[in-house]
Amino acid sequence: MAEFVEVELERRLRLYQTFLKLYEHHSSLLDEILQLETVDKSLLAGVKSFYLQGVIDGSTAYAITNLDEGKTQTLKQPQKIWTIGRDRTSGIHLTNTYVSRRHAAIQYLEDEHSFSLIDFNSTNGSYLNGERVFQPVKLKDGDKIRLGNVVFYFFLNVKTLTLPTVAVELLMQLVPDKDRKVDLSSHQSTKTKVFTEDQDSTVEMLKSIGYIERDFADTPASQLFHLESSPEISEYFLSQQIPNTPCRE
């Protein structure tokens, strides 16, 4: 029994020493943890998360954020420097009293294709992932930033992709069609016929939303679609069955 007590005391002593080292090097992070422990969880209901996203699109860089009154905005700045503070001339204006008038800035570094956080000798400091910032520091995707007691996350977007066009069978589901409300049991054998006979109206719809280029405006529907050879697609279009099992895709 005495041996067990000795081992337990040694374990707790090591834990205490570890805590002291953490507090010495990461005091601000531990302070935040302790503050969260004392916050009434019911007060957090409805609290909005804040973010700032740096977007690099070719030779252009801009910021998207909801820091200003919680409204998402796209902010373009010719010098690619987004100042943050209580001063109304700041690019991102904050009303929080713990934020300095000219608190910090986010800057785009064109040579490095990255963004950095800069503190303007603010009273309550700027923190990156719990560490106080004294010199410009490069930001990474997912970094946590605290200015005074305003906390937000930084996200980095370095790629813009053009996605492929949406498949015809999915586009068809976006078009209201009263004729599709049919009795499946009595019209099972005529589904393909009804669908193929309505090719012209289908083509007109696809032209109107830009799916079919203008160059094919005079092309007959029979040459654009070969639905006769794809009865399974026709079945899919006209089927109105509602799934009654959870989707596992």
Side-chain angles (χ1 to χ4, degrees), residues 165-177:
T165 55
V166 178
V168 178
E169 56 266 30
L170 296 180
L171 288 175
M172 288 297 297
Q173 297 185 43
L174 304 178
V175 181
D177 187 356

Side-chain angles (χ1 to χ4, degrees), residues 35-48:
Q35 289 174 9
L36 287 175
E37 289 297 322
T38 60
V39 172
D40 184 355
K41 297 300 186 291
S42 63
L43 297 178
L44 297 177
V47 175
K48 190 167 187 177

Side-chain angles (χ1 to χ4, degrees), residues 174-185:
L174 304 178
V175 181
D177 187 356
K178 296 180 181 179
D179 295 335
R180 290 175 63 184
K181 296 179 180 180
V182 296
D183 183 356
L184 295 180
S185 60

